[in-house]
Amino acid sequence: MNIIKYLQAQGLGSRKQCTQLIQYDLIAINGCLKNNTNEDIAPNDVVALEINGEKQIPVPYPFFYILLNKPADYETSHKPKHYPSVFSLLPPNLLNLPMQAVGRLDADTTGVLIITNDGQFNHRITSPKHKVPKRYRAVLKHAADERLCAQLRSGVLLHDDNETVCAEQAELADAHTLIMVISNGKYHQVKRMVAAAGNRVEQLHREQFGAWRTDGLSVGEWRFFQPDQLITS
Ligand code: URA
C-alpha cells in the first residue's frame, strides 16, 4: 500500500497533508525516517509509528476494533446532546476515520463498549440471530432475593412492548447487586427488565460483551483488539 494512502488510513489528514508530512521528514515507521512518497508499506508490519518524533499507536488496517472502558456521563453518539461523546475519549487522528459503536450504552452506564469501522462485524455481533451474551452488574434500589432472579430468567413483559424477554442468567452477588446476562439488545433493556420485575437499577456496568472485558483498562481507557477470540460468555 502506498505510504500516503497508509498515512491517510491512520487519520493523519488529506492526501496533500500526508504528502507534506513525508516531504518535511516528519514520519518514521519502525524507526526509519520516511522521505519517499512512492514507497509501499505493508500495514500489518508497522509496529512503530512516529510523527514529528511523537509515538503514535498504529491504527490496524483495513479494520480496527477498539475496546473502551466507558465512563459514566458520556453519550454513545457522534452527536451527543447532554454529555461529551464516547468518541472524544479517542485520539484526534482516530476521530478523522469513520467508525461506529457496536450497540449503545446509556450515558450513565459504564463498562465494555466496542467501537469499530467493520460494519459486518458490527452487524454480526448485534444481530439477535447470533445471541452474543452481554453480562451486566446492576446496583438495585430495593433489596432483592432469588424471586427477582427467577422472574428475570423466566421472562418479564416490558412496558410499551408486547414481547416477553428473559435473561440468560440472573443471580444476586448480594441483596443490592444483580448479575445478569442477556443476549438481545433492546433499548434500556436491563433497566426495563428490572423495572418490570418491580425493582429499579441505580447503577449499571457492562462487565463483558461476548468474550471481551475491560480487564486492565482503567475507566476511560481504550485499546485495540483483534476479534479472533471466541465469542463466548
Ligand atoms: N441495558 C440498559 O438498560 N442500559 C444500557 O446501557 C445497556 C443495557
Side-chain angles (χ1 to χ4, degrees), residues 187-207:
Y187 183 63
H188 293 328
Q189 184 168 335
V190 174
K191 291 175 187 166
R192 289 165 72 212
M193 285 179 75
V194 169
N199 208 310
R200 187 185 159 91
V201 171
E202 297 220 303
Q203 277 174 38
L204 187 60
H205 177 75
R206 183 151 69 192
E207 295 186 329

Side-chain angles (χ1 to χ4, degrees), residues 3 21-22 24-36 39 50-53:
I3 190 163
L21 288 175
I22 298 282
Y24 298 153
D25 289 340
L26 295 177
I27 298 293
I29 291 179
N30 295 343
C32 293
L33 202 62
K34 297 292 171 189
N35 48 25
N36 177 1
E39 184 172 339
E50 280 171 65
I51 299 147
N52 200 10

